[in-house]
Amino acid sequence: MQTEANVLPFTSVRSVAPIAVHTHGGRAKCLQRLIRLDLPIPETAALSFDTVHKLAEGQVLRVNSLIDNFGENALLSVRPSSEDPDWGGPGAILNIGMNEAYHARLSQTHGADAADLLYFRFVQAYALNVERLDPEFFEFDKKTPYSEALKSSLTAFEAETDEPFPQDIETQLFRVLRSMAQAWQGTTARLLRQANGAPADAGLGLVVQEMSVSVGVGECGIGVIQLVDEKTGKSLVRGKYTPQTQGRAALKCANATMPLAKDGSKISLEDKNAEIFQQLLEAAQISRARLRAEMQVEFAISNGKLSILDAVRVPFSTKALLRVSVQLAEDGIISREEAICRVPARSLTELLHPQIDPSGNREVLAQGIAASPGGAFGRIAFDSMAAQSYQAREEACILVRRETSPEDIRGMHSSVGVLTERGGVTSHAAVIARGIGIPCVVGASIRIDLKERTLTTESGETFKEGDVISLDGSTGEALNGAVAMMPPSMDKWYLKLMTWADEIRDIGVRANADTPADAAMARSFQAQGIGLCRTEHMFFEADRLTAVREMIFADSSEDRNEALSRLLPMQRSDFIELFRIMSGLPVCIRLFDPPLHEILPNDRAGAKQLAMALDRPLSDVTRRIEHLSEFNPMLGMRGVRLGITIPEIYAMQARAIFEATIESSKAGHQIEPEIMIPLISAQKEVELVKTQIDAVAATVRNETGETFNYRLGVMVETPRAALIAHKIAQHAQFISFGTNDLTQMTYGLSRDDAGRFMNEYVRQSVYPEDPFHMLDTEGVGELLRIGAERGRQTNPEVTVSLCGEHGGNPESIAFCRKAGFDYVSCSPFRVPVARLAAAQLAASDAKK
Amino acid sequence: MQTEANVLPFTSVRSVAPIAVHTHGGRAKCLQRLIRLDLPIPETAALSFDTVHKLAEGQVLRVNSLIDNFGENALLSVRPSSEDPDWGGPGAILNIGMNEAYHARLSQTHGADAADLLYFRFVQAYALNVERLDPEFFEFDKKTPYSEALKSSLTAFEAETDEPFPQDIETQLFRVLRSMAQAWQGTTARLLRQANGAPADAGLGLVVQEMSVSVGVGECGIGVIQLVDEKTGKSLVRGKYTPQTQGRAALKCANATMPLAKDGSKISLEDKNAEIFQQLLEAAQISRARLRAEMQVEFAISNGKLSILDAVRVPFSTKALLRVSVQLAEDGIISREEAICRVPARSLTELLHPQIDPSGNREVLAQGIAASPGGAFGRIAFDSMAAQSYQAREEACILVRRETSPEDIRGMHSSVGVLTERGGVTSHAAVIARGIGIPCVVGASIRIDLKERTLTTESGETFKEGDVISLDGSTGEALNGAVAMMPPSMDKWYLKLMTWADEIRDIGVRANADTPADAAMARSFQAQGIGLCRTEHMFFEADRLTAVREMIFADSSEDRNEALSRLLPMQRSDFIELFRIMSGLPVCIRLFDPPLHEILPNDRAGAKQLAMALDRPLSDVTRRIEHLSEFNPMLGMRGVRLGITIPEIYAMQARAIFEATIESSKAGHQIEPEIMIPLISAQKEVELVKTQIDAVAATVRNETGETFNYRLGVMVETPRAALIAHKIAQHAQFISFGTNDLTQMTYGLSRDDAGRFMNEYVRQSVYPEDPFHMLDTEGVGELLRIGAERGRQTNPEVTVSLCGEHGGNPESIAFCRKAGFDYVSCSPFRVPVARLAAAQLAASDAKK
């Protein structure tokens, strides 16, 4: 059949020509490296992506020279070799070359049983993968003798294909290769690998290897060995050995397998053949040291002779991968930089789940399956849109669904935890939650009424949207209210890696923290200070909120100052507490910012309460609330606009900051506070506020006779502020980009409202990603570049940073580092991710 | 007294040293030019700004050489000479040098009465201006003989100052000069001139002139002559002459004055002395021709000898100024370019008031004083904030106030007319309205209740905020509802000037027009096409709105298409009508854009009606309305976001446009429509909509067998679109900046909500101007520059324009012209202003 065809090209991995991962795949490359380490690898040939692509396209290529490469009477296996092992590939096919003649020969040398087994296995694999026949014709129970299975298979093959089983090795090999090449192009295979990050045109290489016949006389069998525990990362000799069989699948049958090293309980390979065990151990150690990774080594023993068939990286949990990477560096096998780079930064969130404090009060409202560990609390959100709205308002929420589907992913990203009525540990909700690193409880004993938007427990208690619950993803419990949390434990491997990371990191990492709890978390994660402390949250507690509202409603400066004088001591003590926790580190405090509607009561009861507090008629209060309501609160009277229109607010806050600085200093906590003005859109706004703050500082210095320093800067959230950064920087010691609002304004897109079409937009690739999750480097990023560059034009000393939620994303950090930012600030929980990601970028730059 | 002082420097205007306006002021410069034309100007000396400044600061300078300049026995006058006549200056002081000795001499030569008069006048002026004495001591009724007035004045002077009237001419002159220098520095004078555009450090020059004694024997007197009517601009000889007096004030006394030229009714100067009249006429003609402007020439006759004392530009109304400028150009005295530049572009709005159609129905609801001409209709707004909100929603409004104050100016700018309960023709409302060029009725028979926000007429009819009324500023009537309007008349002088302007203009001017009425107005003002046709307004009529709402609420594509199929013929006929009016010109149609909340009913009645139309339960409809409501509609589901999520809308609109294009073409109206996509923030949005529109075009071509062309472009309203203009321009034939929304997003400032603090912000100079009124060239303008530059990088052929409301401002036009924009588009009424302003810029560039 191949008489007029071209010859199929291949590379013997034993040859001097180096094989590249991007042309022949990782397995081929790895085998070449093992051969060069003089490990006993059977003859192996590699087919390039290009060759396999031709096969998939239907080109007929002659395989005789490939067969010749292996000499006469070789049985061959074919394995996939893709660029990244995570991208998968078709299953291995063994025993190519087996036919009646070979069977007869093998019966002589290895016994009839071995020959029957190998021939049957090949017919079965060929029928299923090459001819795509119905598997049921080729399945037999364990009691069926191999001879009978073989006979039935050959009959079934002929009956189904109207042809006898091909005896010609060229036909066998060509068709096997072609079937594997085509399998790679199948829709399911393509979708699966693209889900794992493969590009659309990812190639497949194939590895053809002479088989070591691990069935027959003498010591025969197959096994795997590795020098590490894949769950913990601890060093040990681990593996399995199954005599008289072939194929990795056989290792799954626990009855027939034995341990490798002596363990006293069960006969081991070491017991049976100490010499081979020694050879194997050495091969595994060489692989680890020279391939510079923990490898799982696949081996075969054929009549007392050891062959190494393959070696793949041991798949680790994050915790184990981290330990192994540190261990490899400590053993001198890899550099510290490499250890840093081997742990995906985002995966740290898995390690660092805060936990629910077991000593706290727990009122369990429902029990479910513990599907993703960690603890969290937040408001109930019954769908993605609600979850995204809460996130936009910077309120933590728990997504509560019957079950989740891909439409809910955005909502899950916006939530701190997920609770579902249905599903198990492999349900969509469970898988995604573990991926994101948020706690998840599935199959919980709750009933959700989506129309009424309520959740009812078994005991009949009903919760509404917005009610606060907690999740313990480690016990599978949903709890009533917000329960006490405690920070995650950080083991010595983690601490060592992060120490190394901090040594090479060249961009600062701070945390966004509004409360003492946040600050403590930030400190425990070694944030280098607070990059954004939102003061308005401090005023939303009931007693303070009333004073804030009175201040907003005050007709006279006197009334206003009276309300503010009640707020001053509370605000001062907030800062004293924060400064104590952050002692010695910078704390950047953003002045009062929220839109008016967040301050005003939004229902009749609230209005009534305010009317009483203000001693005014209710109608008066409601009229004023109506008058103050805004069409587009995001673009309304907030930030510095409030600060300039009601200057008493900022004056009070500045005083509280300065007085707290003095008191903290007396208590031994040195802080140089940073004061940040929000929502700047004009140079004059900075000048006016700066003049005012400086005056307050002078007053406080005069009153107290104490000295203190502070830095004044600007939050850049409007496109205009970025465009005129050269003017702003003349009056600012730092500029910090608030990318949440900046994204809203650059796109003309309210985060509160984007939920309605964001899914559709991302699905149609109108936006490559939701710009509120992934920094838009093209548009928003352009303003960041312009702002940083112009700011430094007039003030080379100005500190430049990013304090939006993007701050914890490795991609954003890469962007900021490249643009020369001084630091990023992110939620406390993302600080370790940011520290590691930044170190990885530095390491990768150093490598170049 | 001046023995040790420095000498006061001066320049004789007769000298060869040229006098500059910016060092000596306009009067000095003008007098030098008149002297060089050999007109009979008495000896004149000019004091520089610098010298006068020294006097004001209190420096003592010796004036004897200045006095020597005029020779012995000269009486002197001093007049102010500021850089711009509009900046004012202290009043002239005459007869310096008059004392007992001079008085005695003058009695001999000119008679006792003349001598008494001149001496008295000087004592009076000196007492008031130099010594700041109480005027009542120096006022006498007409029956008092001059001798007695003189005597009383000298006595009063001595009594009040404890010194005799100074006899020394040096003392007199120095003190007069110093008093005038100091008067220029007075607070009131400074505020007044700054209100007229003078810089804070504007200087004053002084002109000292030998007096021509216009009292005495022979033909004596003073007068003014001009060759034009200042109200209409018509050429004629106009002026007054008053024998035997001095000072311009005397001309105001009608009894004593006579006309210049023979007019048959009254004795004239020409009758009395034809020779002098001829000399005078020639002097006036020379002034006009050589000073290249219509001048008012002041003259004196002393014993039959003519002197020209001064010449100032005739102050004109806009209408007259326009005619005079055209006439001067036609007479070859000035160039056409100069004529174009002499008419302030903004002043054209005064000429171009639309009028209320007298043949329409008029239901007068109140009668008041006609305070500013023209007609308009709009919704009642009871304060500035309401007016600004209406403007933000692009709805015309009439500001209705008890009376207006400076806080209302922003609201007046946002309104199309002003109606007040109080005030007269010189009230604040009247003055400002005339300045802005909007109709105004003051002192109307209405009663305003600000608490209830109602207006009640004499007949007891009550109107609420939002009700529509009309104003006829020419008759002083307020009318019920929206009455028929007619375009203003444009006279031949206007048409000639605009023709000249269009000949040199190098940037296009189109109009924003949504309705046939707007389009007809645009065409009458010679707009070069429509730059922005907002289609959503076409859907807000009751029958259409229901179909639009049904479409928005439709669950299935079928229901949606059913609703759209009812809209298609209406939309098509809208365009056919528009294309007929704009035949031969480009029409740029913006696809459906409004935020959802503008489409949905906002009250229970509307929801009920919709429920009936949709045949659904009311609760269902209200729930969906609630679900579709947005936190920040400006940044929500609108523009292309609607277009992509509900693609059927744009498909219907494109079909309507194409079918209308074909039908119009058959009727002889050739149009190449331009289709504009609103609210773009990503390249992919353009690609998706372009693909869809192109497909609709292909379908319509196939169905009809007709060919047609169209252009597809993008409205740039988000900062991101400007930043990625190079990507957008690859798929767009034009980009048009919508500066209204772009300003909102660049500042992070909702126009609807900015009213709350904009006054305060402008008052404190936080923003130099309201950026919604005056294009912010620093921030928003930077995005315009970036967008235009980047767009042209990838598509040098792309048409770049501005279609926000800023389009009609001369400052914005200057900006766009400099940035190389192809055209600006503004409201029809602003088109003439834009055309003229653009021509002025071209003329001014050509001059450089």
Side-chain angles (χ1 to χ4, degrees), chain A residues 542-592:
Chain A
D543 54 333
R544 301 181 177 194
L545 190 52
T546 303
V548 175
R549 287 170 176 171
E550 284 179 44
M551 174 197 70
I552 297 287
F553 274 71
D555 286 323
S556 67
S557 193
E558 263 172 37
D559 288 355
R560 184 162 291 149
N561 282 322
E562 195 280 321
L564 283 164
S565 69
R566 279 184 289 142
L567 288 168
L568 175 66
M570 309 189 206
Q571 178 87 109
R572 185 174 51 224
S573 67
D574 292 330
F575 294 134
I576 289 173
E577 175 68 358
L578 217 56
F579 293 171
R580 186 186 60 72
I581 298 167
M582 300 308 293
S583 181
L585 294 175
V587 175
C588 181
I589 297 159
R590 179 175 76 179
L591 297 173
F592 201 68

Side-chain angles (χ1 to χ4, degrees), chain A residues 744-764:
Chain A
Q744 301 199 72
M745 291 167 194
T746 306
Y747 275 87
L749 180 56
S750 154
R751 187 169 182 175
D752 287 321
D753 303 309
R756 188 162 291 127
F757 60 89
M758 187 57 79
N759 283 338
E760 183 65 12
Y761 253 51
V762 174
R763 198 184 61 71
Q764 292 197 38

